[in-house]
Amino acid sequence: MTTNTTRRHLISALAAGSAGLALSGCKPQENASSTSDFRPVTWKMVTAWPRDFPGLGEGANYLAQTITEMSGGRLHVKVYGGNELVPPFEVFDAVSNGTAQMGHAAAYYWKGKVPEAQFFGAVPFGMNAQETNAWLYEGGGLALWQELYKPFGLIPFPAGQTGVQMGGWFNREIHSIEDIKGLVMRIPGLGGEVLKRAGGSPKSLPGAELFTALQTGNIDATEWVGPYNDLAFGLYQAAKYYYYPGWHEPTACLECLVNKDAFNALPADLQAIVKIATRATNAQLLDNLTARNQAALDTLVEKHGVQLRRFPNDVLREFRKHAQAVVAELGQSSPMATRIYTSYRDFATQAGRWMKISEQAYFAARDLPA
Ligand code: CA
């Protein structure tokens, strides 16, 4: 079977299943036109990534292509890279005010505007991709996320899990928490706040600016995503030490933002296609990165001489202590934050117990010495 045939089969299967699919949150068809009256439209999708960027940009392309194909072209989605229509950090506003109908970004970029959004982007020492998806789709998380963005005229959907990221690129070795003191690092969101409490100095920069900032010494360290994405940025040319695990982003959940009025103007079948296409993209990114990360890491180490390092346990313990405090404080910052935090924490507790019995026990069994 060719790739195209496989893809067509997948898309028909998804389309067939979408009619009975009920994702939580938005009510379909509030002002929707009927399917037969609907005239084909083109939506603009603004993104926070360089165009066609490996992993993240590919996820945006996959989402646009899937919606366009599943709808038979009735809803054509055109992708704009960061800065092509609006800068990366203005994606939220652009979709909210209708400059674009759709966006692809990460929720923690909006922490200055909607601090609670950070729970949906990445939580240091929080849930991994499998647990996060279970919370969002089956544990009430997505309904809370959609409620949070409602005042902005936006409907968010999960649209790309990264899985556990790498800890980042450092221009010096990290032996103890003393080495974090004074460290200027690009690390967004809650992870940045944790770094600050550990004595570091966090910065938030769009991905496209990382390489230069690291190379010129404006920052001492940066995290980005994982080997596949980081190799593409050439970060190995600017720093030698590559640390794991990515305690600050046990997964990042990318988001698809949809303008509520634009969504409500769609007939029910196209609304269903948008929902299921985001869910397919959510899986696609994780599969893409899982398939490519190790080969990219091998290239970084074997071809480019990158020094792979694991954070010392004492450093991880210190980060974890601060992370628990930072996340709990965010959870007390507003009534909505408390609802989200309580839901996240309770779900993480029960999912984590199950992970110990299932995935964690299985990995340990698989790695038992002969
Ligand atoms: Ca990251």
Side-chain angles (χ1 to χ4, degrees), residues 108 165 186 188 223-225 248-249:
Y108 48 64
Q165 301 200 357
R186 182 273 182 185
E223 69 80 53
W224 178 228
V225 183
H248 62 301
E249 295 188 76

Side-chain angles (χ1 to χ4, degrees), residues 318-333:
E318 189 77 5
F319 284 151
R320 188 178 64 187
K321 178 186 80 183
H322 292 303
Q324 286 165 345
V326 164
V327 174
E329 284 167 30
L330 176 63
Q332 288 155 14
S333 62

Side-chain angles (χ1 to χ4, degrees), residues 17 86 91 97 127 149 183 216 220 229 256 279-280 308 337 347 370:
V86 297
V91 166
N97 67 27
M127 294 191 275
Y149 282 14
L183 185 88
T216 57
D220 304 312
N229 290 99
C256 170
R279 191 155 180 169
L308 185 64
F347 196 91

Side-chain angles (χ1 to χ4, degrees), residues 168-189:
W169 297 86
F170 294 76
N171 63 10
R172 56 183 187 250
E173 282 192 88
I174 304 299
H175 297 292
S176 76
I177 203 71
E178 290 305 310
D179 295 315
I180 300 299
K181 301 210 168 20
L183 185 88
V184 182
M185 180 172 182
R186 182 273 182 185
I187 174 170

